[in-house]
Amino acid sequence: MALVIGLTGGIASGKTTVANIFRDQFAIEIVDADVVAREVVEPKSEGLNAIVARYGETILLEDGSLNRSALREIIFADRNEKQWLDNLLHPMIRRNMQQQLEHVSSEYALLVIPLMVENNLQELADRVLVVDVDENIQIERTMNRDGVSRQQAESILRSQASREQRLAIANDVIKNHSQNQQLLPQITELHKKYLEMCRANL
């Protein structure tokens, strides 16, 4: 199995940008928890079937896919329902990610998990890479990108792990504070380091 680098960071920290540079510049394969989370509730999946069994057909859109906003309302209104959903989906997501990691052919893999700290998933990775950004910049970027108010952006930030909590589990850090932060040089350095680690492991 390839070396697994867990990539995480708060909202609007630039995780996707960083992951895409690893992929596009160095052909490193990515397993993305958000993508996997969508896959486990695709039509006819075990996950979606279980959700329909619990909430009925009204939880579906006309095309048979999951009505995410209806599900969100249910789990925001009732913590027990959120717990039920987490208990259903988290093991599926974890299993699916591990299966994908087993089939990686690049020298190492990036495992992108936005809520790594919150869900205590750092043990799935050999090393943790945190994209670190100043909180004010996160708020500005979130407002610009998602068209939300400052208040909404701040409450999203508060609902996530703090910068300190993320940095506490980091083996490596990419700084993405300024608009034109030099990401490529930082990523190139890390790429070399990870390749050396892969070779040392052989």
Side-chain angles (χ1 to χ4, degrees):
M1 179 135 148
L3 180 76
V4 178
I5 307 298
L7 176 69
T8 193
I11 187 168
S13 59
K15 294 178 295 296
T16 307
T17 305
V18 167
N20 289 345
I21 294 173
F22 271 102
R23 184 192 62 206
D24 299 342
Q25 297 283 336
F26 303 112
I28 298 304
E29 289 176 43
I30 299 170
V31 175
D32 186 326
D34 283 352
V35 173
V36 173
R38 287 195 290 275
E39 288 169 355
V40 298
V41 292
E42 279 174 353
K44 305 206 174 17
S45 65
E46 186 192 343
L48 188 58
N49 292 344
I51 291 170
V52 171
R54 188 168 180 92
Y55 303 119
E57 299 280 331
T58 53
I59 202 73
L60 298 176
L61 296 168
E62 281 181 14
D63 64 359
S65 65
L66 178 62
N67 183 340
R68 290 170 185 283
S69 58
L71 184 62
R72 253 197 307 273
E73 281 176 29
I74 293 171
I75 62 174
F76 275 132
D78 185 339
R79 290 186 62 165
N80 293 334
E81 294 305 319
K82 182 178 187 316
Q83 190 65 53
W84 177 84
L85 190 70
D86 286 349
N87 291 345
L88 170 74
L89 296 182
H90 284 180
M92 289 181 184
I93 293 168
R94 179 185 285 243
R95 202 164 56 232
N96 194 311
M97 288 191 303
Q98 284 169 321
Q99 282 165 354
Q100 289 187 27
L101 287 170
E102 279 161 22
H103 294 109
V104 162
S105 56
S106 54
E107 292 191 74
Y108 62 92
L110 275 191
L111 177 61
V112 183
I113 307 182
L115 301 178
M116 187 180 289
V117 179
E118 294 83 341
N119 292 323
N120 214 16
L121 292 171
Q122 56 269 32
E123 84 259 12
L124 294 181
D126 298 307
R127 285 182 78 78
V128 174
L129 170 58
V130 170
V131 183
D132 182 44
V133 65
D134 182 72
E135 285 171 1
N136 289 327
I137 295 173
Q138 277 181 284
I139 290 168
E140 293 294 326
R141 283 184 192 161
T142 304
M143 286 162 58
N144 293 335
R145 185 188 71 186
D146 301 340
V148 296
S149 67
R150 174 170 287 276
Q151 199 176 355
Q152 270 177 299
E154 286 172 353
S155 86
I156 295 169
L157 214 61
R158 277 198 303 276
S159 74
Q160 297 188 340
S162 70
R163 215 173 142 183
E164 291 69 32
Q165 286 170 309
R166 266 192 296 273
L167 290 171
I169 65 160
N171 301 103
D172 306 296
V173 177
I174 284 180
K175 302 261 180 229
N176 190 18
H177 297 308
S178 65
Q179 290 303 344
N180 57 353
Q181 186 83 44
Q182 300 300 308
L183 287 175
L184 186 57
Q186 297 184 71
I187 292 169
T188 304
E189 279 304 303
L190 285 169
H191 175 65
K192 286 180 195 155
K193 175 174 163 179
Y194 297 151
L195 288 182
E196 278 166 23
M197 290 172 71
C198 296
R199 287 174 193 140
N201 285 348
L202 297 174

